Amino acid sequence: MRSKSLLPFFDSAYQGFASGSLDTDAQSVRTFVADGGECLIAQSYAKNMGLYGERVGALSIVCKSADVASKVESQVKLVVRPMYSSPPIHGASIVATILKSSDMYNNWTIELKEMADRIKSMRQQLFEAIQARGTPGDWSHIIKQIGMFTFTGLNKEQVEFMTKEFHIYMTSDGRISMAGLSSKTVPHLADAMHAAVTRLG
């Protein structure tokens, strides 16, 4: 990054869902900032606080000096003004309430860990179900990936087959939401994936 004079833009949309820890998931950003790097960080609370309808987040810009920060702020204001001028406050108030209360904050971090663990469990269950069916291919990427979503490796034709034959819906590139799975739905998904792979190759 330094040798190429690059300005990194960190996208932190799932903080806490990767490892179950807000601090662990923020480590890459903190390491870069501690090393003296300038950067931009976009944070979203849509997923980790369940505020999809509010789309609450923040853009933080780390600058090397107060003079640079002042110049950046003036440019950001020029961009923000015609976009939304004054953003909705309801979602931001919810986030602020949680972050300012130690009890609420602690409860939130516990719930984040529970969700992260549940997602990991769904990954493991899906992997084991696919293995149990003898589905051709290496499916270890399911348990190697982290976070709410998984790229299954299924192609567009296989995805369309699963939608038509099994009423399973995902993006055409085979990306699925692990958070949307349950122990009851994993077998159905594994059956569909097995059928798609064995019939369509």
Side-chain angles (χ1 to χ4, degrees):
M1 298 299 287
R2 297 285 185 273
S3 65
K4 294 184 178 182
S5 298
L6 300 176
L7 178 64
F9 192 122
F10 292 94
D11 180 13
S12 180
Y14 303 94
Q15 188 177 354
F17 278 158
S19 69
S21 164
L22 291 167
D23 289 325
T24 300
D25 292 353
Q27 196 57 49
S28 59
V29 176
R30 291 176 181 170
T31 298
F32 196 92
V33 171
D35 191 42
E38 291 185 307
C39 60
L40 294 91
I41 307 111
Q43 282 181 282
S44 169
Y45 293 100
K47 282 97 175 168
N48 61 16
M49 282 196 178
L51 294 170
Y52 281 90
E54 303 299 333
R55 307 305 287 181
V56 181
L59 172 64
S60 300
I61 304 173
V62 179
C63 303
K64 62 184 176 184
S65 69
D67 180 54
V68 171
S70 176
K71 291 173 182 175
V72 168
E73 182 181 13
S74 71
Q75 294 302 304
V76 169
K77 285 179 178 177
L78 289 174
V79 173
V80 167
R81 181 72 180 168
M83 285 178 63
Y84 58 78
S85 187
S86 180
I89 197 167
H90 184 251
S93 297
I94 294 171
V95 172
T97 299
I98 293 168
L99 295 181
K100 288 178 182 177
S101 163
S102 59
D103 287 343
M104 287 184 185
Y105 179 83
N106 289 335
N107 286 338
W108 175 51
T109 58
I110 290 167
E111 290 170 2
L112 269 177
K113 177 74 166 69
E114 289 172 354
M115 283 299 299
D117 289 346
R118 183 190 170 284
I119 291 168
K120 288 177 188 174
S121 172
M122 291 302 102
R123 287 183 180 283
Q124 189 65 41
Q125 288 179 42
L126 178 59
F127 174 73
E128 290 172 1
I130 292 170
Q131 292 290 96
R133 284 157 178 75
T135 306
D138 178 9
W139 297 95
S140 61
H141 57 276
I142 291 173
I143 51 177
K144 288 178 182 174
Q145 294 177 41
I146 59 173
M148 290 177 65
F149 298 94
T150 292
F151 282 101
T152 59
L154 299 171
N155 61 40
K156 185 176 181 180
E157 187 182 12
Q158 292 166 332
V159 169
E160 288 173 355
F161 168 83
M162 289 171 56
T163 300
K164 183 178 178 184
E165 299 295 326
F166 290 86
H167 303 285
I168 292 174
Y169 303 88
M170 65 182 75
T171 58
S172 60
D173 60 1
R175 181 175 180 252
I176 60 170
S177 170
M178 297 308 296
L181 286 176
S182 69
S183 296
K184 290 181 180 179
T185 59
V186 163
H188 181 63
L189 176 58
D191 286 342
M193 290 174 70
H194 180 79
V197 170
T198 54
R199 294 185 200 179
L200 301 176

